Amino acid sequence: MKNLFFHLYILGTMSLWSQGITTTIRTSTTLKELFTEIEAQIDYKFAYRNDLDVSARYFNQELQLDNASVSELISELNNHLPIHFSVIGDNITVHRASSSRQQYYTYTGKITDELGDPLVGVSIHIKEVNTGTTTDENGNFSLRLASNNYTVRVTYVGYRSIEKSLKLTHNVNHQFQLEIDTQTLEEVVVTDQSRAVNIKKPQMSVNHLSMQQIKQIPVAMGEADPLKALMTFPGVSNAGEGSSGFNVRGGAADQNLILLDGAPIYSDSHLLGFFSVFNADAVNSLELYKGGIPSKFGGRVSSVLDVHQQQGNYNDMEAAGGIGLISSRLLLKGPILKDKLSYMIAGRASYAHLFLKLADNDNSAMFYDINTRLNYQIDQNNSIYFSGYSGSDVFDLADNFNTTYGNLMGNLGWKHTFSNSLGSDLSVFYSDYRFELAINTEDFQWKSAIKSYGLKYDWIHHLADRFLLNYGVQGTYYDFNPGTLEPQSSDSQFNYRQLDKKYAVESAAYLDIEHKLTDKVNLRYGLRYSLYYRYGEEEILTYAQNKPVIYNPIYNIYEKAEPTGSVAYGSGERIANFNNFEPRISLSYTISQKHSFKASYNRMAQYIHIVSNSQSPTPMDIWTPSGPFIKPQILDQYALGYFRNFDNKMYSLETEVFYKKVKNRIDYVDGANLLANNNIEQVLLNGKARAYGLELLLRKNKGDFTGWLAYTLSRAEQKTVGISEGEPGIANGNWYVSPYDKLHNFNIVGNYQLTDKWSFSGNFSLQSGQPITYPNGYYEFGDIHIPNFNMRNENRLPLYHHLDLAATYTPRPKKTSGWRGSWVFSIYNIYSRKNAASIRFTTNEDTGINEARRLSIFGIVPSISYNFKF
């Protein structure tokens, strides 16, 4: 009887195992559709975990099964999918293939445009496993995948998408060259997948812009400006029209690290903020990190602006440029040695001063800058590059007063690939900012500068398919010249004077890890360890109880303390040193393919500071290092966000809340004199700062009309208590709004492609007025009216807002070679809003009545420019 049951069982099993299955599996077939169809033909059921995405498409080629058995079905599926199928009882179990069963390989590549320039932020998507990555600043990408057949899809805004089959049985490297999409809108709708939210990537609080996006945003004077474009995003603002610097999440301008091809830039503007130092033609892309900042970046506590220049063309020569009302620009790039050595050089200059001279105006203001990049491809694994920048501004007021200031930067690097999973980038750089002021009527010249010399050695290591390491070391030597006074003749009433020069070294080592913990949880975490040394030669004053500032209770003011002596430090002798551990972590939790939550924390240390009590940077501002009386600023920032894509990535939503606090934020006593002050510690107080808020960014990514809406609700505050108990500090030791506080910041940016020849763009900006201190009365001293002021930053300038519109006309949009041109017509501040740059309180000479006078920089500003390339 037992044998009978055994044979019946065997026969039943064989009959089930041999059931015929007929189906056609297409590349559009999902696992869920396949399972439903097969379960209708056999008595087996598919069993799988919830984390397996059965709605995804995993097939990269069509499969035909005709009266196949269950064993044949399983064999075919196991051969063509990165998923393992097996029979247990009456179920076919389904789970992702483990690494113990499959070999993993590295899939790498580089993506460039038609001219050989690398494209940053290109999306590389692997359909079958629904994973992918984006290219770095050099156009490179890397993925670790199990051995299998895949379909690779490459997409980038404004370029034709590429789809390629990939058979991964060994390490593979692919070179992609994307073509600009020149088809008309009636034939194809260009989609911008790069703007959609990357749901799985743990990086948050970052804004990425390509030059194509930047050039669509209208600005004053009609010239595309990367910094002005960034200010249309949440959490970014500035002090108003015609002001330099930018503020991120309530931070000061000196708290932003600005990098151009990896080297620091210390001033970001031309003509006192009307233009940025970044020529849009020469820039390839940029990223602004507001939080969750990777460990490779350090030295500032507010943000990192990472700007990448265009690289040269290895094959053909190209030229591009533009002619505007007050400035023009030209870019050239091409091969020096074909396929080996390429160059890029771009120049820009203003000529408004020429019109002033034609109008018999003795005043003049002008700027110029030059960008350059050289690349030498030694072999497949080695390349050398040089990146450079030089820019300068000149102001001349009737030959009585003239000033010159600007940046100079050079960066020489070597990239080496050890293997498909390991590469390095070694670079050395020099960067300086210098300021010169000459007052001819007084017969003297004033100079100040900051110089830095640095070395970076960065490594990237694909350790496993779920594990990517970035690590390296960095070092920077600083040479600060706070001021040199030079008489220009023997008749000058001034004597030569050199303020104490200062020297410092900042070094760091970092480790940054990108870790795919599960299919839903991705981490990026790391640690940066920074060291800072302040060196002589310098003489440091000493004070009683180590207090360079003392409080006078009779007059209720802070005063300079009398030095008790001094300590002379010799050349290279250590004056002070600091060190800090700076942990970073970011996390993303994927709810589904459409939305996720992200969180981040980072600690950062800042060792150099701008000494200025103005609300926006000026050319005369002086950088100074930490030392005995100025401590490093220490930031702790927390952020939490919700991110979602809608309607097949047609729309995307990014929401974040953040809180950050900064220790050792320097503040200034009332009436502080900072100019030519050799003992700056006598007017400084150490305080703290905090900022918190909500950021919203809603984008429309596809179609004829694209753009975004950005809103920030935030508060930025400072608190500076007295040195000793009973002292008032600043604002009686209470929290007060910082100069960079903007409670509301709202922007709308829209771009509309009407036809292939005409496109239109607009930008509306509204933000709370800048904090300011108004007088609340005055008292008379003889015939002089002396104002009495409110608490610091207790008042605000009026609400700031403007609307800008632009139209671009391209006569021959389908032309892809030879001379190609386009006209840009723009109107800045179309309804001529007189936004207040400042309010000055004075006495009317005719009536004797006190009055407030508003200073406005711009009314309505129309402009026209012609852009070309060939």
Side-chain angles (χ1 to χ4, degrees), residues 533-547:
Y533 293 92
R534 169 88 171 269
Y535 291 104
E537 181 178 1
E538 189 178 354
E539 186 174 349
I540 303 294
L541 298 180
T542 59
Y543 304 90
Q545 300 178 326
N546 204 33
K547 296 179 180 179

PDB file of all heavy atoms in Angstrom, residues 533-547:
ATOM      1  N   TYR A 533      46.299  75.345  12.533  1.00  0.00           N
ATOM      2  CA  TYR A 533      47.406  75.947  13.280  1.00  0.00           C
ATOM      3  C   TYR A 533      47.579  77.395  12.851  1.00  0.00           C
ATOM      4  O   TYR A 533      47.608  77.705  11.657  1.00  0.00           O
ATOM      5  CB  TYR A 533      48.707  75.174  13.033  1.00  0.00           C
ATOM      6  CG  TYR A 533      48.711  73.781  13.598  1.00  0.00           C
ATOM      7  CD1 TYR A 533      48.298  72.697  12.818  1.00  0.00           C
ATOM      8  CD2 TYR A 533      49.116  73.534  14.901  1.00  0.00           C
ATOM      9  CE1 TYR A 533      48.291  71.411  13.323  1.00  0.00           C
ATOM     10  CE2 TYR A 533      49.126  72.240  15.418  1.00  0.00           C
ATOM     11  CZ  TYR A 533      48.702  71.196  14.631  1.00  0.00           C
ATOM     12  OH  TYR A 533      48.696  69.920  15.142  1.00  0.00           O
ATOM     13  N   ARG A 534      47.704  78.275  13.802  1.00  0.00           N
ATOM     14  CA  ARG A 534      48.018  79.695  13.560  1.00  0.00           C
ATOM     15  C   ARG A 534      49.480  79.909  13.929  1.00  0.00           C
ATOM     16  O   ARG A 534      49.917  79.553  15.024  1.00  0.00           O
ATOM     17  CB  ARG A 534      47.097  80.569  14.428  1.00  0.00           C
ATOM     18  CG  ARG A 534      47.453  82.041  14.488  1.00  0.00           C
ATOM     19  CD  ARG A 534      46.827  82.859  13.391  1.00  0.00           C
ATOM     20  NE  ARG A 534      47.057  84.282  13.656  1.00  0.00           N
ATOM     21  CZ  ARG A 534      46.227  85.049  14.346  1.00  0.00           C
ATOM     22  NH1 ARG A 534      45.094  84.532  14.829  1.00  0.00           N
ATOM     23  NH2 ARG A 534      46.510  86.318  14.557  1.00  0.00           N
ATOM     24  N   TYR A 535      50.243  80.507  12.991  1.00  0.00           N
ATOM     25  CA  TYR A 535      51.683  80.649  13.159  1.00  0.00           C
ATOM     26  C   TYR A 535      52.104  82.118  13.180  1.00  0.00           C
ATOM     27  O   TYR A 535      51.396  83.002  12.691  1.00  0.00           O
ATOM     28  CB  TYR A 535      52.426  79.955  12.014  1.00  0.00           C
ATOM     29  CG  TYR A 535      52.312  78.447  12.037  1.00  0.00           C
ATOM     30  CD1 TYR A 535      51.463  77.777  11.149  1.00  0.00           C
ATOM     31  CD2 TYR A 535      53.061  77.682  12.922  1.00  0.00           C
ATOM     32  CE1 TYR A 535      51.371  76.393  11.149  1.00  0.00           C
ATOM     33  CE2 TYR A 535      52.970  76.301  12.928  1.00  0.00           C
ATOM     34  CZ  TYR A 535      52.132  75.667  12.050  1.00  0.00           C
ATOM     35  OH  TYR A 535      52.036  74.301  12.060  1.00  0.00           O
ATOM     36  N   GLY A 536      53.291  82.368  13.749  1.00  0.00           N
ATOM     37  CA  GLY A 536      53.928  83.668  13.659  1.00  0.00           C
ATOM     38  C   GLY A 536      54.712  83.759  12.346  1.00  0.00           C
ATOM     39  O   GLY A 536      54.715  82.827  11.551  1.00  0.00           O
ATOM     40  N   GLU A 537      55.261  84.866  12.065  1.00  0.00           N
ATOM     41  CA  GLU A 537      55.773  85.883  12.975  1.00  0.00           C
ATOM     42  C   GLU A 537      54.695  86.928  13.255  1.00  0.00           C
ATOM     43  O   GLU A 537      54.148  87.501  12.342  1.00  0.00           O
ATOM     44  CB  GLU A 537      57.008  86.530  12.325  1.00  0.00           C
ATOM     45  CG  GLU A 537      57.670  87.563  13.097  1.00  0.00           C
ATOM     46  CD  GLU A 537      58.909  88.091  12.353  1.00  0.00           C
ATOM     47  OE1 GLU A 537      59.197  87.648  11.241  1.00  0.00           O
ATOM     48  OE2 GLU A 537      59.567  88.961  12.931  1.00  0.00           O
ATOM     49  N   GLU A 538      54.440  87.187  14.572  1.00  0.00           N
ATOM     50  CA  GLU A 538      53.421  88.143  14.955  1.00  0.00           C
ATOM     51  C   GLU A 538      53.571  88.462  16.445  1.00  0.00           C
ATOM     52  O   GLU A 538      53.991  87.624  17.238  1.00  0.00           O
ATOM     53  CB  GLU A 538      52.028  87.583  14.669  1.00  0.00           C
ATOM     54  CG  GLU A 538      50.914  88.576  14.836  1.00  0.00           C
ATOM     55  CD  GLU A 538      49.554  87.982  14.491  1.00  0.00           C
ATOM     56  OE1 GLU A 538      49.503  86.830  14.007  1.00  0.00           O
ATOM     57  OE2 GLU A 538      48.543  88.673  14.723  1.00  0.00           O
ATOM     58  N   GLU A 539      53.192  89.677  16.784  1.00  0.00           N
ATOM     59  CA  GLU A 539      53.176  90.085  18.183  1.00  0.00           C
ATOM     60  C   GLU A 539      51.730  90.178  18.641  1.00  0.00           C
ATOM     61  O   GLU A 539      50.924  90.914  18.081  1.00  0.00           O
ATOM     62  CB  GLU A 539      53.873  91.437  18.374  1.00  0.00           C
ATOM     63  CG  GLU A 539      54.013  91.844  19.832  1.00  0.00           C
ATOM     64  CD  GLU A 539      54.828  93.112  20.011  1.00  0.00           C
ATOM     65  OE1 GLU A 539      55.451  93.548  19.022  1.00  0.00           O
ATOM     66  OE2 GLU A 539      54.853  93.655  21.132  1.00  0.00           O
ATOM     67  N   ILE A 540      51.375  89.402  19.684  1.00  0.00           N
ATOM     68  CA  ILE A 540      50.007  89.318  20.181  1.00  0.00           C
ATOM     69  C   ILE A 540      49.924  90.057  21.511  1.00  0.00           C
ATOM     70  O   ILE A 540      50.697  89.788  22.442  1.00  0.00           O
ATOM     71  CB  ILE A 540      49.574  87.852  20.368  1.00  0.00           C
ATOM     72  CG1 ILE A 540      49.718  87.074  19.056  1.00  0.00           C
ATOM     73  CG2 ILE A 540      48.140  87.782  20.883  1.00  0.00           C
ATOM     74  CD1 ILE A 540      48.805  87.524  17.971  1.00  0.00           C
ATOM     75  N   LEU A 541      48.995  91.008  21.602  1.00  0.00           N
ATOM     76  CA  LEU A 541      48.796  91.749  22.848  1.00  0.00           C
ATOM     77  C   LEU A 541      48.134  90.862  23.892  1.00  0.00           C
ATOM     78  O   LEU A 541      47.382  89.940  23.572  1.00  0.00           O
ATOM     79  CB  LEU A 541      47.923  92.981  22.601  1.00  0.00           C
ATOM     80  CG  LEU A 541      48.475  94.049  21.644  1.00  0.00           C
ATOM     81  CD1 LEU A 541      47.496  95.201  21.520  1.00  0.00           C
ATOM     82  CD2 LEU A 541      49.832  94.558  22.123  1.00  0.00           C
ATOM     83  N   THR A 542      48.424  91.159  25.158  1.00  0.00           N
ATOM     84  CA  THR A 542      47.770  90.468  26.264  1.00  0.00           C
ATOM     85  C   THR A 542      46.943  91.477  27.047  1.00  0.00           C
ATOM     86  O   THR A 542      47.222  92.684  27.043  1.00  0.00           O
ATOM     87  CB  THR A 542      48.807  89.809  27.190  1.00  0.00           C
ATOM     88  OG1 THR A 542      49.709  90.823  27.704  1.00  0.00           O
ATOM     89  CG2 THR A 542      49.616  88.762  26.448  1.00  0.00           C
ATOM     90  N   TYR A 543      45.898  90.954  27.720  1.00  0.00           N
ATOM     91  CA  TYR A 543      44.968  91.816  28.443  1.00  0.00           C
ATOM     92  C   TYR A 543      44.664  91.200  29.799  1.00  0.00           C
ATOM     93  O   TYR A 543      44.785  89.973  29.990  1.00  0.00           O
ATOM     94  CB  TYR A 543      43.657  91.981  27.664  1.00  0.00           C
ATOM     95  CG  TYR A 543      43.850  92.518  26.263  1.00  0.00           C
ATOM     96  CD1 TYR A 543      44.051  91.643  25.189  1.00  0.00           C
ATOM     97  CD2 TYR A 543      43.830  93.877  26.001  1.00  0.00           C
ATOM     98  CE1 TYR A 543      44.228  92.116  23.897  1.00  0.00           C
ATOM     99  CE2 TYR A 543      44.004  94.361  24.711  1.00  0.00           C
ATOM    100  CZ  TYR A 543      44.203  93.476  23.666  1.00  0.00           C
ATOM    101  OH  TYR A 543      44.381  93.960  22.398  1.00  0.00           O
ATOM    102  N   ALA A 544      44.261  92.043  30.714  1.00  0.00           N
ATOM    103  CA  ALA A 544      43.869  91.576  32.039  1.00  0.00           C
ATOM    104  C   ALA A 544      42.690  90.627  31.913  1.00  0.00           C
ATOM    105  O   ALA A 544      41.709  90.936  31.210  1.00  0.00           O
ATOM    106  CB  ALA A 544      43.506  92.765  32.926  1.00  0.00           C
ATOM    107  N   GLN A 545      42.791  89.484  32.588  1.00  0.00           N
ATOM    108  CA  GLN A 545      41.763  88.442  32.555  1.00  0.00           C
ATOM    109  C   GLN A 545      41.461  87.979  31.118  1.00  0.00           C
ATOM    110  O   GLN A 545      40.380  87.464  30.856  1.00  0.00           O
ATOM    111  CB  GLN A 545      40.467  88.915  33.233  1.00  0.00           C
ATOM    112  CG  GLN A 545      40.666  89.279  34.702  1.00  0.00           C
ATOM    113  CD  GLN A 545      39.380  89.787  35.350  1.00  0.00           C
ATOM    114  OE1 GLN A 545      38.555  90.452  34.706  1.00  0.00           O
ATOM    115  NE2 GLN A 545      39.191  89.453  36.623  1.00  0.00           N
ATOM    116  N   ASN A 546      42.407  88.234  30.228  1.00  0.00           N
ATOM    117  CA  ASN A 546      42.264  87.820  28.825  1.00  0.00           C
ATOM    118  C   ASN A 546      41.025  88.430  28.181  1.00  0.00           C
ATOM    119  O   ASN A 546      40.378  87.813  27.333  1.00  0.00           O
ATOM    120  CB  ASN A 546      42.210  86.288  28.729  1.00  0.00           C
ATOM    121  CG  ASN A 546      42.652  85.795  27.364  1.00  0.00           C
ATOM    122  OD1 ASN A 546      43.518  86.385  26.726  1.00  0.00           O
ATOM    123  ND2 ASN A 546      42.050  84.705  26.905  1.00  0.00           N
ATOM    124  N   LYS A 547      40.703  89.701  28.536  1.00  0.00           N
ATOM    125  CA  LYS A 547      39.521  90.387  28.009  1.00  0.00           C
ATOM    126  C   LYS A 547      39.951  91.619  27.222  1.00  0.00           C
ATOM    127  O   LYS A 547      40.281  92.657  27.806  1.00  0.00           O
ATOM    128  CB  LYS A 547      38.581  90.802  29.144  1.00  0.00           C
ATOM    129  CG  LYS A 547      37.979  89.643  29.924  1.00  0.00           C
ATOM    130  CD  LYS A 547      37.085  90.158  31.044  1.00  0.00           C
ATOM    131  CE  LYS A 547      36.478  89.011  31.832  1.00  0.00           C
ATOM    132  NZ  LYS A 547      35.620  89.510  32.940  1.00  0.00           N
TER     133      LYS A 547
END
